């Protein structure tokens, strides 16, 4: 097939079938590539109790098949009126999370690490939330909470991926 101008458009419910190859290394569910999408999403802030923090947020995503890659930017987090022990969480993911939990890198500015911990990862869970998990120095994991935020000046950048059934 030679397309010299324009796009190849595949009807809904169909895709590119890669089943001509015999490369099953495990239990294979499908060799049909049927989705690709890029877009923006709005990360929302929520918490496990009390009032949520507020911030300026922006996010982007790319969906390839069932895998969703996300990036997010949360600027000037304001924790005024929140409970300091409440967890900082992000909601509003562009697709429903199917896989149990994945982690991705993140960058934080003006955050206090708890108990000598030295790094943070963005954890995506099946509860449709991202939590920022602090770890390091041989200590157990703990979630970043509102008390770790320097209200009005903390910024977070993160990326992660997860699987969806959509």
């Amino acid at each position: 097939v030679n397309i010299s101008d324009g796009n190849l458009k595949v009807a809904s419910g169909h895709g590119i079938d890669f089943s001509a190859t015999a490369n099953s290394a495990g239990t294979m569910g499908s060799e049909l590539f049927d989705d690709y999408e890029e877009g923006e999403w709005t990360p929302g802030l929520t918490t496990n109790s009390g009032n949520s923090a507020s911030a300026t947020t922006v996010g982007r995503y790319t969906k390839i098949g069932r895998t969703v890659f996300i990036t997010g930017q949360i600027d000037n987090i304001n924790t005024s009126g929140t409970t300091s022990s409440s967890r900082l969480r992000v909601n509003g993911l562009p697709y429903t999370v199917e896989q149990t939990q994945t982690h991705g890198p993140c960058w934080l500015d003006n955050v206090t690490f708890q108990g000598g911990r030295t790094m943070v990862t963005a954890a995506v869970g099946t509860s449709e939330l991202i939590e920022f998990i602090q770890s390091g120095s041989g200590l157990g994991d703990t979630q970043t909470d509102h008390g770790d935020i320097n209200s009005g000046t903390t910024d977070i950048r993160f990326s992660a991926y997860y699987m969806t059934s959509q």
Side-chain angles (χ1 to χ4, degrees):
V1 174
N2 182 10
I3 301 172
S4 59
D5 188 21
N7 299 318
L8 174 63
K9 185 174 180 180
V10 179
S12 179
H14 299 280
I16 301 170
D17 187 343
F18 290 98
S19 63
T21 59
N23 57 356
S24 177
T27 304
M28 180 175 34
S30 175
E31 289 190 4
L32 184 67
F33 175 64
D34 63 352
D35 196 11
Y36 179 87
E37 181 179 326
E38 295 179 3
E40 294 181 1
W41 67 289
T42 303
L45 294 180
T46 188
T47 185
N48 63 320
S49 66
N51 296 326
S52 299
S54 62
T56 302
T57 67
V58 65
R60 298 211 34 89
Y61 73 91
T62 301
K63 181 176 182 285
I64 303 171
R66 293 180 45 235
T67 305
V68 182
F69 299 91
I70 57 172
T71 61
Q73 180 175 329
I74 306 169
D75 290 331
N76 303 317
I77 300 171
N78 183 345
T79 57
S80 178
T82 66
T83 304
S84 65
S85 61
S86 296
R87 295 177 183 168
L88 178 68
R89 294 175 167 174
V90 172
N91 64 6
L93 297 173
Y95 287 93
T96 303
V97 177
E98 180 184 52
Q99 188 174 342
T100 55
Q101 191 170 51
T102 61
H103 292 265
C106 66
W107 168 89
L108 292 91
D109 185 33
N110 289 317
V111 171
T112 302
F113 287 97
Q114 296 179 29
R117 289 168 178 85
T118 57
M119 63 183 208
V120 176
T121 58
V124 180
T126 56
S127 56
E128 309 299 318
L129 298 170
I130 297 173
E131 292 189 321
F132 300 97
I133 308 299
Q134 296 184 14
S135 60
S137 298
L139 302 168
D141 295 345
T142 190
Q143 288 81 15
T144 299
D145 58 39
H146 292 164
D148 303 326
I149 303 298
N150 186 355
S151 187
T153 62
T154 294
D155 299 325
I156 298 176
R157 309 286 188 275
F158 64 92
S159 61
Y161 75 94
Y162 62 93
M163 300 299 287
T164 183
S165 59
Q166 297 174 302

